[in-house]
Amino acid sequence: MILLAIIIILSYLAGSIPSGIILTKAVKGIDIRDHGSGNAGGTNVMRVLGWGYGILVILFDALKGAFAVVVIARLFYGPLPFENASPFDDFTLVQIIAGVAAVIGHVWTVFAGFKGGKGIATALGMLIMIITIDMLIAVGVFILVVSISRYVSLGSLIAAISIPLTLILRENVFHVHINGYHTLLPFVIFLSAFVVYTHRKNVLRLLKGTENKVSFKKNKQL
């Protein structure tokens, strides 16, 4: 139990690294939370400083989720301190736990007053290590929606919803065997619902037509 707790704490701390805040303070001397939407994630960095810095933050945030799954989870050895009722081997289950802890750390970062990003990029980094094909499809959906609408929040929401839908279609329509499908599906549905929850204010702004569109040019006032 102690080892698993250490993995969860380390994963949470890795996810908590506020890359958006660090980068914007380093390159512009500003706190990104005082600009744009006030969010510390890559979308707001893109909106304020341009797509280059925004993509850099998104990539780093994704790496946090991947790092928790690929590196921190490998601290695990021996049996789990509880009965593993899932079809996954113990290590894969530990990877999922570590990844979720990283996402929680990103959304509620201990290093920035428990106010972080929306969790999209970190969840992407985590899940792409577990369900690669479905996540690549989700990335394609995200790019397509943002390219057409210029609403990153809309792209994030539709991409998140597309993940469980892709799993369902691949398993039940195209008859592709997905290992641990019946365990993965409720987990992915929960994570997608969590992403929608963190975007609840964006959903209201989208419905009202007041959501900010992303610009692929930096804010020249900064």
Side-chain angles (χ1 to χ4, degrees), residues 31-39 44-45 47-48 212 219 222:
D31 187 332
I32 188 63
R33 294 171 297 177
D34 295 330
H35 301 271
S37 67
N39 187 267
N44 197 37
V45 173
R47 182 180 295 117
V48 175
N212 294 319
N219 189 332
L222 296 175

Side-chain angles (χ1 to χ4, degrees), residues 18-35 45 49 53 57 111-112:
S19 55
I21 296 173
I22 293 172
L23 184 141
T24 53
K25 283 187 176 181
V27 300
K28 289 293 182 179
I30 64 171
D31 187 332
I32 188 63
R33 294 171 297 177
D34 295 330
H35 301 271
V45 173
L49 297 184
Y53 289 121
V57 170
F111 301 122

Side-chain angles (χ1 to χ4, degrees), residues 6-214:
I6 291 173
I7 290 172
I8 292 171
I9 292 170
L10 289 177
S11 297
Y12 170 81
L13 292 175
S16 289
I17 298 173
S19 55
I21 296 173
I22 293 172
L23 184 141
T24 53
K25 283 187 176 181
V27 300
K28 289 293 182 179
I30 64 171
D31 187 332
I32 188 63
R33 294 171 297 177
D34 295 330
H35 301 271
S37 67
N39 187 267
T43 299
N44 197 37
V45 173
M46 187 182 297
R47 182 180 295 117
V48 175
L49 297 184
W51 68 270
Y53 289 121
I55 293 296
L56 188 61
V57 170
I58 290 171
L59 287 174
F60 188 85
D61 287 342
L63 281 174
K64 295 189 299 186
F67 182 79
V69 168
V70 175
V71 178
I72 297 177
R74 290 200 177 276
L75 296 174
F76 172 79
Y77 65 88
L80 285 169
F82 53 83
E83 182 181 355
N84 182 3
S86 79
F88 299 113
D89 60 75
D90 288 357
F91 177 66
T92 303
L93 189 57
V94 170
Q95 285 183 302
I96 292 174
I97 293 171
V100 171
V103 173
I104 292 172
H106 178 77
V107 177
W108 292 290
T109 167
V110 69
F111 301 122
F114 297 99
K115 294 181 180 179
K118 300 291 178 63
I120 284 286
T122 307
L124 169 65
M126 166 206 173
L127 289 174
I128 205 165
M129 297 292 128
I130 302 171
I131 46 173
T132 306
I133 294 176
D134 306 273
M135 291 310 299
L136 290 176
I137 292 173
V139 170
V141 169
F142 172 82
I143 293 173
L144 180 63
V145 173
V146 174
S147 298
I148 295 173
S149 69
R150 289 177 54 208
Y151 288 122
V152 175
S153 58
L154 182 62
S156 299
L157 288 164
I158 295 178
I161 294 170
S162 76
I163 300 170
L165 291 179
T166 302
L167 277 171
I168 293 170
L169 288 174
R170 289 180 64 221
E171 177 76 19
N172 298 286
V173 176
F174 296 103
H175 304 293
V176 176
H177 175 67
I178 300 173
N179 184 40
Y181 168 76
H182 294 290
T183 299
L184 269 176
L185 184 59
F187 166 70
V188 169
I189 290 174
F190 168 78
L191 202 57
S192 297
F194 179 73
V195 168
V196 173
Y197 170 77
T198 62
H199 282 75
R200 60 194 181 282
K201 292 182 180 178
N202 301 85
V203 172
L204 291 176
R205 288 195 294 267
L206 284 167
L207 293 174
K208 293 178 181 178
T210 58
E211 177 72 322
N212 294 319
K213 290 187 176 182
V214 70

